Amino acid sequence: MSYFRDNIDSMTAYVPGAQPAAGETVIKLNTNENPYPPSPKALAALGEFDGERLCRYPHPMAGQFRAAVASVLGIGEGWILPGNGSDELIVIIARACAGSNRPIVYPYPTFEFYLTQAQIENAGPIQVSFDDEYNLPVDGLVAAGGAVTYVANPGSPSGTAVSNDALSELAERLTGVLVIDEAYVDFAESDSLELAKNCDNVILLRTLSKGYSLAGLRLGYAVANPQLLDGLAKVKDIYNVDCIADCVGAAAFEDQAYKIATAAKVNASRAKLTSDLEALGWSVLPSQANFVLVRPPGGNAQQVHQSLKDRRILVRYFNSPKLDDRLRITIGTDEQNAAIIGALTELKED
Ligand SMILES: *Cc1c(COP(=O)(O)O)cnc(C)c1O
């Protein structure tokens, strides 16, 4: 006898990357956080926030933040649904659209939280393998017949990007919704906003966690046509975004210049880290995100992961098919990246 539904008993919990205690000195390159602080304008908005506002409920649609996104992207507010991180939007979509005989489908490997939501809703999942170059398996995804099909673009943990042509073909051929998870779009060469505007089954997900250095604030948003978002809003928590996130997130989003400059620094460091790793004999997938998926020369990723941990450098290791000979390394500051290259050079000499 259990207190839980059968599928909850049989699923495994999502395991987040390790978070060291405050004050612990580690080089933390395991969860794709931004190494730079949030925009000074966001920090000023936080400093000036009137604490007495906390006695009232927040705007149910994070009105201040939603207005900022609408103005920057040049779309109507009805096309934007804010969430408590894009993780919450992934939960909302599963709740509204997926279930038994309404599977969640995605190319594998990808963000594991889609799997978690599919298991909670008894909605598959159906996983369709990427090839070794991480081309989008359009035919396989269409054949799987998802009520919801997820494509993270750029992908995690690969960092690779697929073309808008491939996504557009997929959107057209699917009978269910296509969710394009653009968590890393701020580091990428292109985006799919036009696709979301033009296809009535496309939902774009974005977050302030990566490009805006606000992972701790918990704020993201969906872009889709208003009819689709009205359906999703039915299943959301009443006040899903708190008033501090609404205010600080708006200030951060309005400061596009800061976000663009920060992403440019990260991308320059990504190029440097890539060439340094390649010089050590590592293979590196071409990344459009703030991390790289890399294979050590001997493929002994688990051992390298542990040796780095012993040196207080955290990177991500996935003990799963197609990934267990690789590490995912978040792009840090140039100083942090030099530290990991130093450690790997030492390990090579041992
Ligand atoms: C980080 C990440 C998210 C989660 O973003 P939050 O807004 O912090 O919840 C969603 N999707 C992918 C692919 C991510 O890597």
Side-chain angles (χ1 to χ4, degrees):
M1 179 55 199
S2 161
Y3 292 119
F4 301 109
R5 303 194 312 260
D6 289 347
N7 55 315
I8 304 303
D9 272 328
S10 61
M11 70 182 276
T12 46
Y14 180 84
V15 183
Q19 291 292 355
E24 215 182 308
T25 52
V26 294
I27 295 182
K28 191 173 178 314
L29 303 175
N30 64 335
T31 52
N32 299 343
E33 289 139 332
N34 199 306
Y36 299 106
S39 154
K41 291 180 181 163
L43 296 179
L46 181 62
E48 290 155 16
F49 187 84
D50 174 8
E52 290 194 12
R53 277 178 61 189
L54 292 174
C55 69
R56 304 268 158 122
Y57 282 110
H59 189 292
M61 284 292 192
Q64 206 182 334
F65 173 66
R66 190 173 60 164
V69 175
S71 141
V72 169
L73 299 186
I75 54 180
E77 294 188 6
W79 286 73
I80 300 156
L81 178 64
N84 186 16
S86 50
D87 285 353
E88 190 208 12
L89 296 161
I90 294 167
V91 174
I92 288 173
I93 292 166
R95 234 170 149 183
C97 304
S100 40
N101 301 317
R102 298 185 59 85
I104 290 177
V105 174
Y106 48 82
Y108 176 88
T110 190
F111 187 36
E112 281 237 336
F113 198 56
Y114 310 147
L115 164 70
T116 307
Q117 292 313 310
Q119 291 175 329
I120 291 172
E121 301 298 339
N122 240 326
I126 301 174
Q127 311 188 5
V128 182
S129 261
F130 275 117
D131 62 21
D132 289 344
E133 279 77 48
Y134 284 86
N135 295 300
L136 192 66
V138 174
D139 291 338
L141 293 171
V142 172
V148 182
T149 303
Y150 270 98
V151 177
N153 195 42
S156 179
S158 70
T160 54
V162 299
S163 71
N164 261 315
D165 285 349
L167 290 170
S168 166
E169 184 196 340
L170 181 60
E172 207 161 289
R173 290 172 59 190
L174 286 173
T175 50
V177 296
L178 171 61
V179 184
I180 305 175
D181 183 344
E182 292 195 331
Y184 300 101
V185 72
D186 302 305
F187 309 97
E189 288 161 16
S190 62
D191 65 66
S192 295
L193 183 58
E194 286 306 310
L195 209 59
K197 285 196 212 165
N198 295 327
C199 306
D200 66 5
N201 64 337
V202 169
I203 304 172
L204 221 59
L205 296 185
R206 292 185 175 171
T207 174
L208 274 71
S209 296
K210 287 32 187 266
Y212 297 81
S213 311
L214 288 170
L217 191 67
R218 311 307 304 131
L219 187 60
Y221 62 96
V223 179
N225 73 76
Q227 293 88 324
L228 208 45
L229 293 188
D230 284 350
L232 296 182
K234 285 184 188 171
V235 307
K236 82 174 187 70
D237 289 358
I238 306 169
Y239 304 107
N240 56 329
V241 175
D242 69 71
C243 55
I244 299 175
D246 187 12
C247 164
V248 175
F253 204 82
E254 281 160 359
D255 195 357
Q256 287 293 306
Y258 179 86
K259 186 264 297 191
I260 291 167
T262 310
K265 280 201 280 188
V266 169
N267 286 353
S269 304
R270 181 179 70 204
K272 167 98 170 87
L273 182 67
T274 299
S275 60
D276 288 351
L277 286 166
E278 285 173 345
L280 287 173
W282 290 53
S283 63
V284 184
L285 275 173
S287 170
Q288 291 198 30
N290 67 336
F291 57 87
V292 283
L293 186 66
V294 296
R295 186 179 188 279
N300 54 346
Q302 191 162 23
Q303 195 188 319
V304 178
H305 172 256
Q306 187 57 48
S307 305
L308 287 172
K309 200 170 166 190
D310 295 343
R311 288 171 164 75
R312 315 188 66 72
I313 300 176
L314 302 183
V315 299
R316 194 79 189 259
Y317 173 72
F318 301 94
N319 197 357
S320 336
K322 279 178 106 84
L323 298 173
D324 55 5
D325 60 343
R326 281 155 209 263
L327 297 173
R328 193 191 67 189
I329 305 176
T330 304
I331 310 300
T333 60
D334 283 335
E335 200 181 20
Q336 292 174 320
N337 301 335
I340 195 168
I341 292 295
L344 293 175
T345 307
E346 264 178 48
L347 287 174
K348 198 176 178 180
E349 285 156 6
D350 282 354

